Amino acid sequence: MRRDQARRPEFSLLRSRTSADEEVAAEFAFHLEMTMKDLIRRGMSESDARTEAQRRFGDRTAVDATCRRLARERDQRRSRAEYWHELRQDASFALRQLGRARLFTCIAICTLALGIGATACVFSVLEAVVLRPLPFPHPERIVTIAPTKQGAEIGAASGAQFSAMLGLSQMFDAVTGTIDGFGFTFVHDNEPVVIGGGKVTAGFLHAYGASPILGRGFLPSDDQPGAPHVVLLSHRMWLRDMAGDSAVLGRTIHLNGEAYAVIGVMPSSFDMLRNGDDLWVPMQLTSVELGEYGNGFLALIARLKPGVTIGQAAAAARAAEHTLELANPVVGGGHSVNLHEFRDQLVDNYRRRLFVLLGAVGFVLLIACVNVANLLLARGTVRGKELAIRAALGAGRARLVRQLLVESVVLTLAGAALGIGVAFALLKGFVAIAPQGLPRLDQAGIDGVVLAFVLGMAVVTSVLIGLLPAVRGAGSALQANLREGGRWSSGGGGDRLRTTLVAAEVALAVTLLTGSGLLIRSAWSAQHVDPGFTAHNVFAARLLLPGSRYPDSTLVLDVYRRINESVTRVPGVSSTALVSVAPLSNEGHMNTSVDVEGSTRPDGERASVAFRLVSPKYFATLGIPILGGRDIRSTDVAGGPAVALISKSLANKLWPGENPVGKRIDALSFHPGPNLMEVVGVVGDLHDASLTHPAEPTLYLPYTQTPGALWPAIQRSLVVVARTSADVRTMSKAIHRGVMSVDSSLPFASSHTMDEFLAASLATERFNTLLLSTLGIIALVLATVGIYGVVSYFVSQRTQEIGVRLALGALPKHIWRLVLGRGLAPIGFGALIGAGLSLATARLLREQLFSVSPTDPLTLSGVIGLLSIVALLATLLPARRAMRVAPIVALQES
């Protein structure tokens, strides 16, 4: 009973159709007339009664305005109630209609789910990595300071440059210098392991605006030389190695054989930094280190003062750098600094790549929308009689459009709901295959932001797939449809529209396939680059020698000599050597300036080259050819004649067309005084940074002639490389036992095969290629389905016409030609548009391509050829069905 009473006002409003102005006017007229009649009965004249009645109403204008406002409010409530009532009817009707057409509904929902799910997956990664604000106060004020030389960024700043930036207190709230990726030997559960950490200056936390969740940060007194050792733990290490113990403050841990007191634990937000440090210790720079200008070893991060722009700070920093350069003429000119937003440096080039990927999945979503729109167009044609009957019964065009749009909304919402599940699955795969170093990827998920994005996509998609079919389905041909029994009678307009949509599908598919084809060709080219060394069955393990046990270079050289000899004796090891940085390992980069003997050019104009410390047999172990001269010998030791080997590219740079063996160079600009050394050999070039980067000119020095001051800077670290006759992975434990036989406290800081380094150097290229190729295949499948659907529908709608043609003498080949032309026409048009679109969008991939042009004609022609073959196959089945139409059966259809 109460439910019926609650519904009555709503239905009474639905029945009321009088406008507000009419009702108010009628109501006033009624009351005025009734009052006048009453006054006339009391003996007043008609004119006096009218005057008195109007007087009794008071301020007619105010009362009229109030009544009209109340009436409009009532009308608005009535309109809303009517709208929602009809919308519920439309939704209920849409569900019934879609339930009857189960195959159509299933295909449409799955198609939309694939497009929406893929787009949501990529957006969730983009939002976590690029769009989400950094978890620091005012992250836009955090900047990196990158020194430059001759216009090129050199990455590391010297102590003097750090001191100069500290002096710009009017620009920066804080400046910190860091050395990231520093290795610490840490004893955990009585097992020595090497963990990554950072050495930082006192302003480290202030620069980020961060605070520990336990304990305190670094004080200026902690950063003074000789101060007690203290350490800040990352949240990751606190949970992993300290079991999240809140009583960890004050605990002593041993790093590199020295005791450090734990003073704090950082929040988990700090774990997202790309260097992946597990802990941080004060750097404790000496006054000498703070005054050195030529030796860069610090990464600089600063926090801008409120109101200071990055341009203002950059101008002040460059002026300070210029002053510093004038005070140190010995290092040459051309020095400056660049400032960058820290967030931009954090995401590096992933921002552009993820936006390109989002655009690619957007193309897939558009293709899915076109396919569903084509299905709706075909379905609308079949429902022509139904729509015509509804129009004849009084439904207006807007009402019919809304009904059809509601059906598309229901379809899209169902596709979006299923798409969220698809996004969950795709996101797991994305994370599994993503290259290392993608920051905050672990934070990507289907959260509120992504759900809001999916809802927005659903709204836009429902309009894209539903508006055109709805407008066309509710068009002016309804009466003709009713007369013709539901057959579409628009003179082929529906066919032309569906053909146009298929052409759009083809254009988008050509664009995606061209992009994936370019990346496939690029990846193939990169995989066939000669790295300059033989990677198979070569094992590389980095060692770090604690300074507490190896305080001078004599001990360092002795232990490495014994380790090399011990590993050589391991059964199954055919050759061993030592090197400061293994090729393609990205575990460090050392550069120096080099010039020929007697050159008077300033340091700024000398050739900048990579240099490596190596042992005898290094080139033989890695299979790097010696092109001239000799290898390093065991007699090339400290105190003897300084020697070096150089790469072929460096030889061509310093002595083009000449034999460099026996000539002398001046190198090691970071070491004081002239550093002349004789070139005793020339070796082949190798790719050190990446297979897709050109080989860098390189200088090779005997590790036994390393300047003593350099050992602490590289953490007394070398890499043991061993070539084995057995499977290299099964030999790792035996090689480690060989190291431990010399010093049982030395763990491997890292260990990899050279094949793994080769694979890792192409990880990003493989990742991009796999994703875009997958999207291209999806686009190809969807386009094929669209082509098949259009041709098949054409055949079904023209069955009677085909029967007439056959009855009048047309041969099957004529029918084949008719159907084939219908299928291939949109292919040619779409391929032409797609070719132009591909040439425009492929330029976005320029940075990701190697040895292939974005406008490569071979790739474009191959894609169009592939799509043509697939389109031809898609038309084959409908064409064969058309050729087998029986004329008598076809003529009986009406």
Side-chain angles (χ1 to χ4, degrees), residues 713-744:
I714 63 173
Q715 294 187 262
R716 304 165 188 82
S717 173
L718 290 179
V719 176
V720 178
V721 291
R723 181 171 293 279
T724 66
S725 55
D727 179 67
V728 65
R729 267 301 168 192
T730 62
M731 296 293 299
S732 60
K733 291 184 178 180
I735 293 173
H736 192 205
R737 286 194 295 270
V739 172
M740 295 183 69
S741 67
V742 178
D743 186 339
S744 60

PDB file of all heavy atoms in Angstrom, residues 713-744:
ATOM      1  N   ALA A 713      88.161   5.134  -5.420  1.00  0.00           N
ATOM      2  CA  ALA A 713      87.077   5.718  -6.208  1.00  0.00           C
ATOM      3  C   ALA A 713      86.236   4.639  -6.880  1.00  0.00           C
ATOM      4  O   ALA A 713      85.021   4.819  -7.076  1.00  0.00           O
ATOM      5  CB  ALA A 713      87.648   6.664  -7.258  1.00  0.00           C
ATOM      6  N   ILE A 714      86.853   3.514  -7.250  1.00  0.00           N
ATOM      7  CA  ILE A 714      86.095   2.429  -7.893  1.00  0.00           C
ATOM      8  C   ILE A 714      85.799   1.301  -6.905  1.00  0.00           C
ATOM      9  O   ILE A 714      85.455   0.190  -7.307  1.00  0.00           O
ATOM     10  CB  ILE A 714      86.841   1.884  -9.124  1.00  0.00           C
ATOM     11  CG1 ILE A 714      88.182   1.254  -8.729  1.00  0.00           C
ATOM     12  CG2 ILE A 714      87.049   2.977 -10.159  1.00  0.00           C
ATOM     13  CD1 ILE A 714      88.874   0.546  -9.889  1.00  0.00           C
ATOM     14  N   GLN A 715      85.929   1.614  -5.590  1.00  0.00           N
ATOM     15  CA  GLN A 715      85.632   0.668  -4.515  1.00  0.00           C
ATOM     16  C   GLN A 715      86.510  -0.580  -4.564  1.00  0.00           C
ATOM     17  O   GLN A 715      86.081  -1.656  -4.180  1.00  0.00           O
ATOM     18  CB  GLN A 715      84.160   0.248  -4.534  1.00  0.00           C
ATOM     19  CG  GLN A 715      83.179   1.369  -4.231  1.00  0.00           C
ATOM     20  CD  GLN A 715      81.776   0.853  -4.101  1.00  0.00           C
ATOM     21  OE1 GLN A 715      81.006   0.918  -5.033  1.00  0.00           O
ATOM     22  NE2 GLN A 715      81.445   0.337  -2.941  1.00  0.00           N
ATOM     23  N   ARG A 716      87.728  -0.421  -5.102  1.00  0.00           N
ATOM     24  CA  ARG A 716      88.654  -1.556  -5.207  1.00  0.00           C
ATOM     25  C   ARG A 716      87.963  -2.724  -5.901  1.00  0.00           C
ATOM     26  O   ARG A 716      88.101  -3.881  -5.507  1.00  0.00           O
ATOM     27  CB  ARG A 716      89.158  -1.982  -3.830  1.00  0.00           C
ATOM     28  CG  ARG A 716      89.811  -0.851  -3.042  1.00  0.00           C
ATOM     29  CD  ARG A 716      89.980  -1.193  -1.570  1.00  0.00           C
ATOM     30  NE  ARG A 716      90.432  -0.028  -0.833  1.00  0.00           N
ATOM     31  CZ  ARG A 716      89.628   0.946  -0.391  1.00  0.00           C
ATOM     32  NH1 ARG A 716      88.328   0.859  -0.625  1.00  0.00           N
ATOM     33  NH2 ARG A 716      90.102   1.990   0.267  1.00  0.00           N
ATOM     34  N   SER A 717      87.226  -2.401  -6.939  1.00  0.00           N
ATOM     35  CA  SER A 717      86.359  -3.388  -7.578  1.00  0.00           C
ATOM     36  C   SER A 717      86.869  -3.754  -8.960  1.00  0.00           C
ATOM     37  O   SER A 717      87.240  -2.886  -9.754  1.00  0.00           O
ATOM     38  CB  SER A 717      84.935  -2.814  -7.694  1.00  0.00           C
ATOM     39  OG  SER A 717      84.112  -3.674  -8.443  1.00  0.00           O
ATOM     40  N   LEU A 718      86.898  -5.061  -9.246  1.00  0.00           N
ATOM     41  CA  LEU A 718      87.151  -5.573 -10.583  1.00  0.00           C
ATOM     42  C   LEU A 718      86.173  -6.705 -10.869  1.00  0.00           C
ATOM     43  O   LEU A 718      85.560  -7.258  -9.954  1.00  0.00           O
ATOM     44  CB  LEU A 718      88.593  -6.087 -10.720  1.00  0.00           C
ATOM     45  CG  LEU A 718      89.725  -5.053 -10.719  1.00  0.00           C
ATOM     46  CD1 LEU A 718      91.072  -5.756 -10.833  1.00  0.00           C
ATOM     47  CD2 LEU A 718      89.553  -4.032 -11.831  1.00  0.00           C
ATOM     48  N   VAL A 719      86.060  -7.035 -12.145  1.00  0.00           N
ATOM     49  CA  VAL A 719      85.182  -8.115 -12.576  1.00  0.00           C
ATOM     50  C   VAL A 719      86.037  -9.290 -13.010  1.00  0.00           C
ATOM     51  O   VAL A 719      86.969  -9.131 -13.814  1.00  0.00           O
ATOM     52  CB  VAL A 719      84.277  -7.661 -13.741  1.00  0.00           C
ATOM     53  CG1 VAL A 719      83.424  -8.827 -14.245  1.00  0.00           C
ATOM     54  CG2 VAL A 719      83.386  -6.510 -13.300  1.00  0.00           C
ATOM     55  N   VAL A 720      85.746 -10.465 -12.470  1.00  0.00           N
ATOM     56  CA  VAL A 720      86.392 -11.691 -12.904  1.00  0.00           C
ATOM     57  C   VAL A 720      85.602 -12.250 -14.086  1.00  0.00           C
ATOM     58  O   VAL A 720      84.399 -12.499 -13.972  1.00  0.00           O
ATOM     59  CB  VAL A 720      86.437 -12.738 -11.779  1.00  0.00           C
ATOM     60  CG1 VAL A 720      87.071 -14.035 -12.277  1.00  0.00           C
ATOM     61  CG2 VAL A 720      87.197 -12.201 -10.584  1.00  0.00           C
ATOM     62  N   VAL A 721      86.244 -12.391 -15.242  1.00  0.00           N
ATOM     63  CA  VAL A 721      85.591 -13.000 -16.403  1.00  0.00           C
ATOM     64  C   VAL A 721      86.253 -14.344 -16.667  1.00  0.00           C
ATOM     65  O   VAL A 721      87.485 -14.467 -16.624  1.00  0.00           O
ATOM     66  CB  VAL A 721      85.674 -12.089 -17.653  1.00  0.00           C
ATOM     67  CG1 VAL A 721      84.824 -10.863 -17.470  1.00  0.00           C
ATOM     68  CG2 VAL A 721      87.096 -11.694 -17.972  1.00  0.00           C
ATOM     69  N   ALA A 722      85.436 -15.350 -16.889  1.00  0.00           N
ATOM     70  CA  ALA A 722      85.960 -16.706 -17.080  1.00  0.00           C
ATOM     71  C   ALA A 722      85.244 -17.364 -18.248  1.00  0.00           C
ATOM     72  O   ALA A 722      84.003 -17.364 -18.304  1.00  0.00           O
ATOM     73  CB  ALA A 722      85.766 -17.534 -15.808  1.00  0.00           C
ATOM     74  N   ARG A 723      86.017 -17.906 -19.161  1.00  0.00           N
ATOM     75  CA  ARG A 723      85.437 -18.689 -20.253  1.00  0.00           C
ATOM     76  C   ARG A 723      85.503 -20.154 -19.856  1.00  0.00           C
ATOM     77  O   ARG A 723      86.548 -20.655 -19.407  1.00  0.00           O
ATOM     78  CB  ARG A 723      86.200 -18.457 -21.547  1.00  0.00           C
ATOM     79  CG  ARG A 723      85.630 -19.244 -22.742  1.00  0.00           C
ATOM     80  CD  ARG A 723      86.272 -18.838 -24.054  1.00  0.00           C
ATOM     81  NE  ARG A 723      85.929 -17.469 -24.407  1.00  0.00           N
ATOM     82  CZ  ARG A 723      84.789 -17.110 -24.985  1.00  0.00           C
ATOM     83  NH1 ARG A 723      83.875 -18.038 -25.275  1.00  0.00           N
ATOM     84  NH2 ARG A 723      84.565 -15.850 -25.289  1.00  0.00           N
ATOM     85  N   THR A 724      84.360 -20.860 -20.002  1.00  0.00           N
ATOM     86  CA  THR A 724      84.279 -22.235 -19.524  1.00  0.00           C
ATOM     87  C   THR A 724      84.031 -23.177 -20.689  1.00  0.00           C
ATOM     88  O   THR A 724      83.514 -22.791 -21.740  1.00  0.00           O
ATOM     89  CB  THR A 724      83.133 -22.377 -18.500  1.00  0.00           C
ATOM     90  OG1 THR A 724      81.889 -22.152 -19.160  1.00  0.00           O
ATOM     91  CG2 THR A 724      83.287 -21.384 -17.365  1.00  0.00           C
ATOM     92  N   SER A 725      84.390 -24.418 -20.464  1.00  0.00           N
ATOM     93  CA  SER A 725      84.126 -25.442 -21.471  1.00  0.00           C
ATOM     94  C   SER A 725      82.800 -26.140 -21.216  1.00  0.00           C
ATOM     95  O   SER A 725      82.261 -26.800 -22.095  1.00  0.00           O
ATOM     96  CB  SER A 725      85.255 -26.484 -21.466  1.00  0.00           C
ATOM     97  OG  SER A 725      85.429 -27.023 -20.163  1.00  0.00           O
ATOM     98  N   ALA A 726      82.257 -25.991 -19.983  1.00  0.00           N
ATOM     99  CA  ALA A 726      80.956 -26.572 -19.646  1.00  0.00           C
ATOM    100  C   ALA A 726      79.908 -25.457 -19.622  1.00  0.00           C
ATOM    101  O   ALA A 726      80.204 -24.296 -19.903  1.00  0.00           O
ATOM    102  CB  ALA A 726      81.039 -27.263 -18.282  1.00  0.00           C
ATOM    103  N   ASP A 727      78.661 -25.852 -19.301  1.00  0.00           N
ATOM    104  CA  ASP A 727      77.604 -24.852 -19.200  1.00  0.00           C
ATOM    105  C   ASP A 727      77.994 -23.812 -18.161  1.00  0.00           C
ATOM    106  O   ASP A 727      78.338 -24.134 -17.022  1.00  0.00           O
ATOM    107  CB  ASP A 727      76.288 -25.511 -18.807  1.00  0.00           C
ATOM    108  CG  ASP A 727      75.160 -24.498 -18.672  1.00  0.00           C
ATOM    109  OD1 ASP A 727      74.752 -23.920 -19.687  1.00  0.00           O
ATOM    110  OD2 ASP A 727      74.726 -24.285 -17.529  1.00  0.00           O
ATOM    111  N   VAL A 728      77.910 -22.558 -18.569  1.00  0.00           N
ATOM    112  CA  VAL A 728      78.477 -21.502 -17.744  1.00  0.00           C
ATOM    113  C   VAL A 728      77.744 -21.354 -16.416  1.00  0.00           C
ATOM    114  O   VAL A 728      78.360 -21.043 -15.386  1.00  0.00           O
ATOM    115  CB  VAL A 728      78.491 -20.178 -18.537  1.00  0.00           C
ATOM    116  CG1 VAL A 728      77.079 -19.706 -18.833  1.00  0.00           C
ATOM    117  CG2 VAL A 728      79.253 -19.105 -17.804  1.00  0.00           C
ATOM    118  N   ARG A 729      76.423 -21.568 -16.383  1.00  0.00           N
ATOM    119  CA  ARG A 729      75.673 -21.396 -15.150  1.00  0.00           C
ATOM    120  C   ARG A 729      76.018 -22.466 -14.118  1.00  0.00           C
ATOM    121  O   ARG A 729      75.996 -22.217 -12.917  1.00  0.00           O
ATOM    122  CB  ARG A 729      74.171 -21.410 -15.445  1.00  0.00           C
ATOM    123  CG  ARG A 729      73.578 -20.029 -15.658  1.00  0.00           C
ATOM    124  CD  ARG A 729      73.801 -19.182 -14.436  1.00  0.00           C
ATOM    125  NE  ARG A 729      73.506 -17.773 -14.648  1.00  0.00           N
ATOM    126  CZ  ARG A 729      73.835 -16.821 -13.800  1.00  0.00           C
ATOM    127  NH1 ARG A 729      74.504 -17.110 -12.711  1.00  0.00           N
ATOM    128  NH2 ARG A 729      73.545 -15.578 -14.039  1.00  0.00           N
ATOM    129  N   THR A 730      76.331 -23.669 -14.570  1.00  0.00           N
ATOM    130  CA  THR A 730      76.698 -24.725 -13.631  1.00  0.00           C
ATOM    131  C   THR A 730      78.078 -24.482 -13.044  1.00  0.00           C
ATOM    132  O   THR A 730      78.440 -25.108 -12.044  1.00  0.00           O
ATOM    133  CB  THR A 730      76.679 -26.092 -14.324  1.00  0.00           C
ATOM    134  OG1 THR A 730      77.658 -26.099 -15.376  1.00  0.00           O
ATOM    135  CG2 THR A 730      75.315 -26.366 -14.921  1.00  0.00           C
ATOM    136  N   MET A 731      78.858 -23.564 -13.649  1.00  0.00           N
ATOM    137  CA  MET A 731      80.219 -23.302 -13.189  1.00  0.00           C
ATOM    138  C   MET A 731      80.279 -22.168 -12.170  1.00  0.00           C
ATOM    139  O   MET A 731      81.331 -21.927 -11.585  1.00  0.00           O
ATOM    140  CB  MET A 731      81.100 -22.941 -14.389  1.00  0.00           C
ATOM    141  CG  MET A 731      81.276 -24.050 -15.401  1.00  0.00           C
ATOM    142  SD  MET A 731      82.222 -25.426 -14.713  1.00  0.00           S
ATOM    143  CE  MET A 731      83.767 -24.628 -14.329  1.00  0.00           C
ATOM    144  N   SER A 732      79.175 -21.440 -11.954  1.00  0.00           N
ATOM    145  CA  SER A 732      79.242 -20.243 -11.108  1.00  0.00           C
ATOM    146  C   SER A 732      79.656 -20.569  -9.680  1.00  0.00           C
ATOM    147  O   SER A 732      80.472 -19.855  -9.083  1.00  0.00           O
ATOM    148  CB  SER A 732      77.890 -19.532 -11.119  1.00  0.00           C
ATOM    149  OG  SER A 732      76.867 -20.377 -10.617  1.00  0.00           O
ATOM    150  N   LYS A 733      79.101 -21.637  -9.117  1.00  0.00           N
ATOM    151  CA  LYS A 733      79.458 -21.984  -7.738  1.00  0.00           C
ATOM    152  C   LYS A 733      80.925 -22.413  -7.642  1.00  0.00           C
ATOM    153  O   LYS A 733      81.613 -22.075  -6.670  1.00  0.00           O
ATOM    154  CB  LYS A 733      78.545 -23.091  -7.230  1.00  0.00           C
ATOM    155  CG  LYS A 733      77.102 -22.645  -7.027  1.00  0.00           C
ATOM    156  CD  LYS A 733      76.262 -23.756  -6.418  1.00  0.00           C
ATOM    157  CE  LYS A 733      74.834 -23.277  -6.171  1.00  0.00           C
ATOM    158  NZ  LYS A 733      73.982 -24.348  -5.581  1.00  0.00           N
ATOM    159  N   ALA A 734      81.407 -23.142  -8.643  1.00  0.00           N
ATOM    160  CA  ALA A 734      82.808 -23.557  -8.617  1.00  0.00           C
ATOM    161  C   ALA A 734      83.725 -22.346  -8.723  1.00  0.00           C
ATOM    162  O   ALA A 734      84.766 -22.276  -8.051  1.00  0.00           O
ATOM    163  CB  ALA A 734      83.075 -24.536  -9.761  1.00  0.00           C
ATOM    164  N   ILE A 735      83.356 -21.384  -9.557  1.00  0.00           N
ATOM    165  CA  ILE A 735      84.166 -20.169  -9.681  1.00  0.00           C
ATOM    166  C   ILE A 735      84.153 -19.396  -8.372  1.00  0.00           C
ATOM    167  O   ILE A 735      85.194 -18.869  -7.935  1.00  0.00           O
ATOM    168  CB  ILE A 735      83.642 -19.316 -10.847  1.00  0.00           C
ATOM    169  CG1 ILE A 735      83.885 -20.041 -12.179  1.00  0.00           C
ATOM    170  CG2 ILE A 735      84.302 -17.943 -10.864  1.00  0.00           C
ATOM    171  CD1 ILE A 735      83.251 -19.364 -13.370  1.00  0.00           C
ATOM    172  N   HIS A 736      82.990 -19.336  -7.710  1.00  0.00           N
ATOM    173  CA  HIS A 736      82.924 -18.629  -6.431  1.00  0.00           C
ATOM    174  C   HIS A 736      83.784 -19.339  -5.381  1.00  0.00           C
ATOM    175  O   HIS A 736      84.432 -18.685  -4.550  1.00  0.00           O
ATOM    176  CB  HIS A 736      81.477 -18.532  -5.956  1.00  0.00           C
ATOM    177  CG  HIS A 736      81.291 -17.575  -4.811  1.00  0.00           C
ATOM    178  ND1 HIS A 736      80.251 -17.674  -3.914  1.00  0.00           N
ATOM    179  CD2 HIS A 736      82.019 -16.482  -4.414  1.00  0.00           C
ATOM    180  CE1 HIS A 736      80.338 -16.700  -3.027  1.00  0.00           C
ATOM    181  NE2 HIS A 736      81.407 -15.979  -3.314  1.00  0.00           N
ATOM    182  N   ARG A 737      83.791 -20.671  -5.402  1.00  0.00           N
ATOM    183  CA  ARG A 737      84.654 -21.388  -4.468  1.00  0.00           C
ATOM    184  C   ARG A 737      86.122 -21.070  -4.721  1.00  0.00           C
ATOM    185  O   ARG A 737      86.928 -20.982  -3.790  1.00  0.00           O
ATOM    186  CB  ARG A 737      84.409 -22.901  -4.572  1.00  0.00           C
ATOM    187  CG  ARG A 737      83.108 -23.359  -3.939  1.00  0.00           C
ATOM    188  CD  ARG A 737      83.087 -24.869  -3.759  1.00  0.00           C
ATOM    189  NE  ARG A 737      83.113 -25.563  -5.049  1.00  0.00           N
ATOM    190  CZ  ARG A 737      82.039 -25.910  -5.743  1.00  0.00           C
ATOM    191  NH1 ARG A 737      80.829 -25.639  -5.263  1.00  0.00           N
ATOM    192  NH2 ARG A 737      82.143 -26.546  -6.893  1.00  0.00           N
ATOM    193  N   GLY A 738      86.473 -20.882  -6.010  1.00  0.00           N
ATOM    194  CA  GLY A 738      87.836 -20.488  -6.315  1.00  0.00           C
ATOM    195  C   GLY A 738      88.176 -19.129  -5.733  1.00  0.00           C
ATOM    196  O   GLY A 738      89.299 -18.901  -5.259  1.00  0.00           O
ATOM    197  N   VAL A 739      87.213 -18.179  -5.752  1.00  0.00           N
ATOM    198  CA  VAL A 739      87.436 -16.862  -5.142  1.00  0.00           C
ATOM    199  C   VAL A 739      87.555 -16.991  -3.633  1.00  0.00           C
ATOM    200  O   VAL A 739      88.452 -16.398  -2.999  1.00  0.00           O
ATOM    201  CB  VAL A 739      86.293 -15.898  -5.526  1.00  0.00           C
ATOM    202  CG1 VAL A 739      86.405 -14.583  -4.755  1.00  0.00           C
ATOM    203  CG2 VAL A 739      86.292 -15.628  -7.025  1.00  0.00           C
ATOM    204  N   MET A 740      86.661 -17.776  -3.025  1.00  0.00           N
ATOM    205  CA  MET A 740      86.649 -17.899  -1.561  1.00  0.00           C
ATOM    206  C   MET A 740      87.860 -18.645  -1.030  1.00  0.00           C
ATOM    207  O   MET A 740      88.196 -18.521   0.152  1.00  0.00           O
ATOM    208  CB  MET A 740      85.358 -18.588  -1.124  1.00  0.00           C
ATOM    209  CG  MET A 740      84.102 -17.775  -1.413  1.00  0.00           C
ATOM    210  SD  MET A 740      82.592 -18.568  -0.821  1.00  0.00           S
ATOM    211  CE  MET A 740      82.813 -18.449   0.955  1.00  0.00           C
ATOM    212  N   SER A 741      88.517 -19.405  -1.881  1.00  0.00           N
ATOM    213  CA  SER A 741      89.745 -20.063  -1.420  1.00  0.00           C
ATOM    214  C   SER A 741      90.847 -19.048  -1.158  1.00  0.00           C
ATOM    215  O   SER A 741      91.804 -19.335  -0.431  1.00  0.00           O
ATOM    216  CB  SER A 741      90.210 -21.091  -2.463  1.00  0.00           C
ATOM    217  OG  SER A 741      90.635 -20.438  -3.662  1.00  0.00           O
ATOM    218  N   VAL A 742      90.714 -17.860  -1.731  1.00  0.00           N
ATOM    219  CA  VAL A 742      91.662 -16.775  -1.478  1.00  0.00           C
ATOM    220  C   VAL A 742      91.184 -15.899  -0.323  1.00  0.00           C
ATOM    221  O   VAL A 742      91.948 -15.540   0.567  1.00  0.00           O
ATOM    222  CB  VAL A 742      91.863 -15.925  -2.749  1.00  0.00           C
ATOM    223  CG1 VAL A 742      92.812 -14.756  -2.481  1.00  0.00           C
ATOM    224  CG2 VAL A 742      92.395 -16.791  -3.878  1.00  0.00           C
ATOM    225  N   ASP A 743      89.875 -15.534  -0.326  1.00  0.00           N
ATOM    226  CA  ASP A 743      89.293 -14.731   0.745  1.00  0.00           C
ATOM    227  C   ASP A 743      87.854 -15.191   0.915  1.00  0.00           C
ATOM    228  O   ASP A 743      86.995 -14.905   0.087  1.00  0.00           O
ATOM    229  CB  ASP A 743      89.340 -13.238   0.405  1.00  0.00           C
ATOM    230  CG  ASP A 743      88.886 -12.355   1.563  1.00  0.00           C
ATOM    231  OD1 ASP A 743      88.170 -12.859   2.454  1.00  0.00           O
ATOM    232  OD2 ASP A 743      89.239 -11.156   1.576  1.00  0.00           O
ATOM    233  N   SER A 744      87.592 -15.916   2.000  1.00  0.00           N
ATOM    234  CA  SER A 744      86.272 -16.519   2.201  1.00  0.00           C
ATOM    235  C   SER A 744      85.186 -15.495   2.508  1.00  0.00           C
ATOM    236  O   SER A 744      84.002 -15.844   2.543  1.00  0.00           O
ATOM    237  CB  SER A 744      86.339 -17.542   3.345  1.00  0.00           C
ATOM    238  OG  SER A 744      86.750 -16.898   4.550  1.00  0.00           O
TER     239      SER A 744
END
